Amino acid sequence: MLKAVLFDLDLTLLDRDASVKHFVSHQYDRYFAALQHIPKEAYIEAFIERDAGGYVWKDVVYAQLTSQFNIVDITPAELLEDYVTQFHQSCIPYPGLITMLDTLKKEGYSLGLITNAIGDFQHRNIQAIGIEPYFDAILISGWEGIKKPHPDIFLRALDRLGVQPEESVHIGDHPLNDVEAARLIGMKSIWKSHARWEQPAQADGFVHDLLDIPALISRL
């Protein structure tokens, strides 16, 4: 019997693609005086390309952008500071997020969140979309000193929730970091579909719409 549901954050609960585009658009507006020689869409597209879905940290991204576009009136460090302190104001959740979490809580599941990110930065993002109160355990790799797909971060989350692997299911977008890693320690695993990845064959199920998650879990 399943007792706990664990989630990834980016591209699972948080629409990171939309959030990044929103943030970069507003960053361009904030620093228009320094960036006006660059077409706005070109700046946005270059950031998204170099960000590589969040797998390249932004000190590298901004160093590359300032070189590519010959940005001289603002430094990479200043742009990075803006990203770190302002990104949470652009966070956009996937539709149905709060309704889905409400349903799972009402059905009696313990909820956990495991995310690979810098601690304070990701914590602000979690707070920004209003989901922190729903979770009985939140593990951010920057605070935990370990990250997915290492099994210990999953086992640590399960220990804090007081459940065994076979009593839990993990939901995430990454075929290795989420789906395979959770299954390797005996958890069920649901793939939150995203065009960036091919559907992992080993998933116990997959969803596109968050509102479909409670019904899928009830069938596992």
Side-chain angles (χ1 to χ4, degrees), residues 9-25 44 47-49 51-55 83 87 90-94 173 192-197 208:
L9 182 66
D10 293 331
L11 300 182
T12 300
L13 305 179
L14 175 69
D15 187 343
R16 188 181 184 277
D17 293 338
S19 301
V20 166
K21 189 169 184 178
H22 184 272
F23 166 78
V24 180
S25 175
I44 294 171
F47 183 99
I48 291 172
E49 178 181 356
D51 174 66
Y55 289 93
Y83 175 84
F87 183 82
S90 292
C91 285
I92 300 170
Y94 283 112
D173 71 286
K192 172 62 167 60
S193 63
H194 191 278
R196 181 173 290 128
W197 316 114
H208 177 71

Side-chain angles (χ1 to χ4, degrees), residues 57-102:
W57 183 235
K58 273 21 94 189
D59 55 350
V60 175
V61 172
Y62 285 121
Q64 293 174 340
L65 289 178
T66 53
S67 175
Q68 175 183 349
F69 292 119
N70 193 30
I71 300 170
V72 296
D73 292 331
I74 189 169
T75 67
E78 289 173 304
L79 290 168
L80 175 62
E81 179 67 13
D82 182 68
Y83 175 84
V84 170
T85 60
Q86 300 299 316
F87 183 82
H88 67 281
Q89 297 191 37
S90 292
C91 285
I92 300 170
Y94 283 112
L97 172 58
I98 298 301
T99 299
M100 179 271 294
L101 294 175
D102 273 331

Side-chain angles (χ1 to χ4, degrees), residues 108-207:
Y109 294 104
S110 296
L111 300 184
L113 183 66
I114 308 175
T115 176
N116 287 350
I118 293 175
D120 291 341
F121 173 82
Q122 197 74 320
H123 187 224
R124 285 193 294 271
N125 298 340
I126 292 166
Q127 291 177 316
I129 57 175
I131 62 173
E132 185 174 22
Y134 287 91
F135 289 95
D136 304 289
I138 294 176
L139 287 79
I140 304 174
S141 64
W143 284 348
E144 300 296 327
I146 193 168
K147 65 181 181 178
K148 299 180 292 182
H150 199 289
D152 284 355
I153 196 166
F154 292 91
L155 294 171
R156 192 176 296 178
L158 296 177
D159 182 64
R160 293 179 190 176
L161 293 171
V163 298
Q164 298 300 311
E166 62 271 18
E167 298 173 319
S168 63
V169 57
H170 178 70
I171 302 168
D173 71 286
H174 198 287
L176 172 61
N177 293 347
D178 294 309
V179 175
E180 182 177 339
R183 284 181 56 81
L184 283 174
I185 66 163
M187 300 175 69
K188 298 287 188 183
S189 191
I190 294 173
W191 181 55
K192 172 62 167 60
S193 63
H194 191 278
R196 181 173 290 128
W197 316 114
E198 292 186 9
Q199 180 175 338
Q202 69 271 33
D204 294 292
F206 71 94
V207 293

